[in-house]
Amino acid sequence: MSLTEARFHDLVDATQQTLEDIFDESELDVDLENSAGVLTVKFENGSQVIFSRQEPLRQLWLAARSGGFHFDYDEESERWMCDKSEEQLGEMLQRIVLEQADLELDFEGL
């Protein structure tokens, strides 16, 4: 937990903006809501993916149909990594969006 509070917020803000851009530019019909540090992506079929910042733990949390996942920022790779599986956020999101919305999106930069 070496991230300062300011750096953590900057990283989460940048990540959420990148996510919004990816979804906005996709072929998916989604509703995006970003409020109080929580980004909710609502798919056409009613399923959701929710990203929230957990400031005390300096983690980014992801809630999806398949479960809840916690990500720590890895300074070396400059990526959010799942604290259980070591999977990168972008890799996991690619799989989750395919499962929930039946469309492949590129989350390479995450």
Side-chain angles (χ1 to χ4, degrees):
M1 192 164 83
S2 60
L3 291 177
T4 66
E5 183 177 336
R7 174 122 169 92
F8 169 73
H9 286 293
D10 287 346
L11 289 166
V12 173
D13 289 344
T15 299
Q16 288 184 340
Q17 185 60 57
T18 299
L19 289 166
E20 287 185 52
D21 292 345
I22 290 169
F23 283 111
D24 279 341
E25 295 168 8
S26 75
E27 299 172 16
L28 288 173
D29 183 15
V30 296
D31 288 325
L32 299 172
E33 181 181 318
N34 197 337
S35 177
V38 177
L39 174 63
T40 303
V41 181
K42 297 177 184 177
F43 297 107
E44 194 173 16
N45 63 11
S47 69
Q48 298 180 23
V49 175
I50 302 168
F51 303 91
S52 61
R53 65 184 76 210
Q54 298 301 315
E55 187 176 323
L57 301 172
R58 303 289 197 269
Q59 288 184 326
L60 177 63
W61 286 9
L62 166 63
R65 191 185 293 164
S66 57
F69 307 94
H70 304 166
F71 293 84
D72 294 308
Y73 191 76
D74 179 61
E75 292 283 0
E76 190 174 314
S77 67
E78 298 183 336
R79 298 280 189 263
W80 291 98
M81 306 294 286
C82 181
D83 67 354
K84 298 276 189 265
S85 69
E86 295 295 315
E87 189 174 11
Q88 290 182 4
L89 176 62
E91 293 170 344
M92 187 177 287
L93 277 175
Q94 218 164 350
R95 187 180 76 253
I96 287 171
V97 170
L98 185 60
E99 289 169 1
Q100 290 189 213
D102 199 30
L103 184 69
E104 265 190 63
L105 288 183
D106 183 9
F107 294 96
E108 178 95 17
L110 295 176

